[in-house]
Amino acid sequence: MPKLAKPLTDIQPRNAKGGIKPKGFGDRKQEEPTDKPYTLPDGGGLYLLVNPDGSKYWRMQCRFAGAPRLLAFGKYPDVSLATARELRQQAKAQIRAGIDPAQAKRLEKLNQATANANTFEAVAREWHANKLETWQLRTATNVLHRLEKDVFPLIGKQPIADIRAPVMLDVLRQIEKRGALEMAKRQGQVCGQIFRFAIASGKAEIDPVQSLRGALKPSARGHHAAITADDLPDFIRDFEKIEGRMFVPTKVMFRLMMLTFVRTSELTETPWAEIDLENESWVIDWRRMKMGKKKLNPRKVSHHVFLPRQGWELLRELHTITGNNKFLFPNQRDHEKSTTNFGILAALKRMGYSGKMTGHGFRSLAMGVIKERLGYRHEVVDRQLSHASGDTYGEAYDRAMFFDERKVMMQQYADYIDSVATAK
């Protein structure tokens, strides 16, 4: 009958040294040098392996279905003697239940590796990479930045399949607490897309964001702030009060915004190469248009901006100042770059219209005036706003039928603004 190993004491693993093998436990004088690993048995197949370099590892020898098994329980002292004994008992329980402990450990490692690969952050970054072809660089950067700031620190390391609605609600409420209600709503939409991507990829089974409908605070944000046709006389009067203190390029930018109602970036980033002063023609290249910037199926239709007489007068005045530059409105520090819409926003603030009017609001204002006061059809104004027609033949219809009508419309709109200004 084999001799049973005497259980280890806490001090024996602690004092065990690499390269020095004790002959008898508790007798420090009977140690002898060795250049080989040695073991300290604890019984039941469990032992501490001591390497010549001093590293110590828990091991267990056992048999399953008549075949030998060698189990590794970790490094000492990261795994204590008590923990190693618990692992020994677990292995024996598995064997009694007909489970191979070595195979069970391999499956556990595999499942853990799968869980680590399928954390929320890992899946979110995979989803983000999958969307890059359809996004502009600015959009891709902003989406990832917001995830890194608001979401990853809270649930990034959790397996995406384990995340439930209460956890997601807490994540979004953390955003709400700083008053960013619209951002909380957007992040919920983004996270919902990530969960649906995970479901399609077989990495999750539910989208917990769907269960949060009605749980978040309603956002007060709606359309871009804009004045109405009734507000126009006061608006012009307030602008003329500060107009004399504005730089000419900024004044021209503001008035062109009012006369043309193009998108702010389409105005501020306009190169002089698009402007033909002699023939009075301005065509925005489709690559600068909102729908033309789409990576997937961009709308390759350049936009004709029909300036009224007043608009061409402004551009000729501006050309005497910035005509030697690449852009109508060059950046003050680097003339090879265009300016931003800061001048428009600053003017609106000085006028007292912060929160009441935006650069985009000029488009809404023009739509209201032209339809309500000048009586034009919606589709004619829509083409001047460079909105897609929404039907198969819309773009051809736009080019063939509306150009002349839009030219007249834009002059009437400019004259209406002048009449309002003189009648106030």
Side-chain angles (χ1 to χ4, degrees):
M1 183 175 180
K3 184 178 178 181
L4 296 177
K6 184 178 179 180
L8 295 171
T9 63
D10 288 334
I11 197 172
Q12 287 171 325
R14 190 185 315 150
N15 291 341
K17 299 177 181 178
I20 301 178
K21 180 180 180 181
K23 285 187 176 180
F25 295 149
D27 189 352
R28 299 294 300 275
K29 295 181 180 180
Q30 297 185 23
E31 295 174 344
E32 64 180 13
T34 179
D35 58 356
K36 298 180 180 179
Y38 66 89
T39 62
L40 299 179
D42 185 61
L46 178 66
Y47 62 88
L48 184 70
L49 175 68
V50 184
N51 289 319
D53 63 2
S55 58
K56 309 168 191 179
Y57 297 89
W58 293 110
R59 298 289 187 264
M60 178 181 174
Q61 289 182 330
C62 60
R63 300 184 73 82
F64 178 79
R69 294 287 187 268
L70 179 61
L71 308 180
F73 291 159
K75 187 177 182 179
Y76 180 86
D78 298 339
V79 177
S80 67
L81 173 59
T83 301
R85 287 171 175 167
E86 291 177 4
L87 294 172
R88 176 182 61 192
Q89 294 306 111
Q90 291 176 14
K92 288 185 175 183
Q94 288 175 325
I95 292 173
R96 288 193 298 270
I99 300 173
D100 183 348
Q103 179 66 14
K105 187 160 187 177
R106 283 193 291 270
L107 289 175
E108 181 182 355
K109 287 184 177 180
L110 179 61
N111 290 336
Q112 186 60 49
T114 302
N116 291 339
N118 293 338
T119 62
F120 182 89
E121 180 173 350
V123 176
R125 291 186 181 277
E126 184 180 351
W127 165 82
H128 183 268
N130 189 60
K131 297 282 286 185
L132 285 179
E133 291 185 0
T134 63
W135 280 341
Q136 289 295 313
L137 177 61
R138 179 183 299 178
T139 301
T141 301
N142 288 341
V143 169
L144 185 58
H145 171 72
R146 287 299 176 185
L147 286 170
E148 292 174 338
K149 178 182 178 182
D150 294 329
V151 183
F152 291 168
L154 299 176
I155 60 171
K157 297 186 184 305
Q158 293 188 30
I160 194 167
D162 295 343
I163 299 174
R164 294 295 182 264
V167 174
M168 280 308 308
L169 181 59
D170 180 68
V171 170
L172 299 179
R173 280 184 172 167
Q174 296 302 315
I175 303 174
E176 280 187 338
K177 286 180 181 179
R178 63 174 193 259
L181 303 184
E182 180 65 22
M183 182 55 63
K185 178 182 177 182
R186 289 186 183 182
Q187 286 296 74
Q189 294 170 345
V190 168
C191 289
Q193 291 185 46
I194 294 170
F195 279 108
R196 291 191 290 275
F197 175 79
I199 293 170
S201 305
K203 299 174 181 178
E205 295 182 355
I206 64 169
D207 171 14
V209 178
Q210 288 186 344
S211 304
L212 304 184
R213 185 170 298 176
L216 295 176
K217 296 178 181 178
S219 171
R221 177 171 176 172
H223 298 291
H224 294 277
I227 63 172
T228 66
D230 291 336
D231 302 320
L232 189 55
D234 287 339
F235 183 78
I236 294 176
R237 179 171 58 249
D238 293 333
F239 172 68
E240 290 181 346
K241 288 179 182 178
I242 69 166
E243 187 176 17
R245 301 191 300 273
M246 298 173 70
F247 293 112
V248 172
T250 306
K251 178 187 69 173
V252 170
M253 184 193 304
F254 196 96
R255 285 200 170 273
L256 285 176
M257 199 74 226
M258 190 182 302
L259 291 173
T260 66
F261 46 90
V262 294
R263 296 178 178 90
T264 52
S265 63
E266 293 165 1
L267 176 62
T268 59
E269 298 172 7
T270 299
W272 277 109
E274 286 182 355
I275 305 295
D276 184 349
L277 291 174
E278 182 177 353
N279 297 303
E280 294 190 344
S281 171
W282 176 11
V283 181
I284 302 178
D285 187 271
W286 64 267
R287 296 172 185 83
R288 292 208 304 117
M289 301 299 295
K290 178 181 178 180
M291 301 303 292
K293 292 179 179 179
K294 292 176 59 179
K295 286 191 174 182
L296 192 63
N297 299 323
R299 184 170 181 254
K300 299 180 180 181
V301 179
S302 296
H303 178 56
H304 291 254
V305 182
F306 296 108
L307 280 173
R309 179 189 71 259
Q310 296 90 326
W312 289 112
E313 291 173 356
L314 288 169
L315 281 181
R316 289 188 175 92
E317 179 184 8
L318 181 65
H319 191 265
T320 63
I321 302 172
T322 68
N324 292 326
N325 293 278
K326 178 179 179 181
F327 296 100
L328 272 65
F329 307 102
N331 185 288
Q332 292 299 312
R333 295 183 178 180
D334 184 354
H335 288 186
E336 289 301 309
K337 298 179 180 179
S338 63
T339 189
T340 65
N341 66 341
F342 176 79
I344 294 175
L345 297 179
L348 290 172
K349 183 176 181 180
R350 290 169 62 189
M351 292 164 59
Y353 282 81
S354 291
K356 301 177 184 178
M357 185 61 167
T358 62
H360 198 88
F362 285 102
R363 292 164 63 81
S364 299
L365 172 64
M367 173 74 83
V369 170
I370 293 175
K371 289 175 62 178
E372 296 171 13
R373 304 298 166 85
L374 303 182
Y376 276 85
R377 303 186 312 281
H378 178 86
E379 57 267 27
V380 180
V381 189
D382 229 24
R383 299 306 183 276
Q384 187 60 29
L385 288 166
S386 73
H387 288 164
S389 64
D391 60 68
T392 306
Y393 303 104
E395 290 170 2
Y397 184 59
D398 182 14
R399 292 193 295 271
M401 299 295 293
F402 289 169
F403 277 17
D404 290 342
E405 193 170 358
R406 282 156 58 185
K407 289 178 184 178
V408 175
M409 178 185 73
M410 293 303 289
Q411 186 60 58
Q412 289 183 356
Y413 176 61
D415 292 342
Y416 176 85
I417 293 176
D418 285 348
S419 68
V420 169
T422 56
K424 62 184 186 296

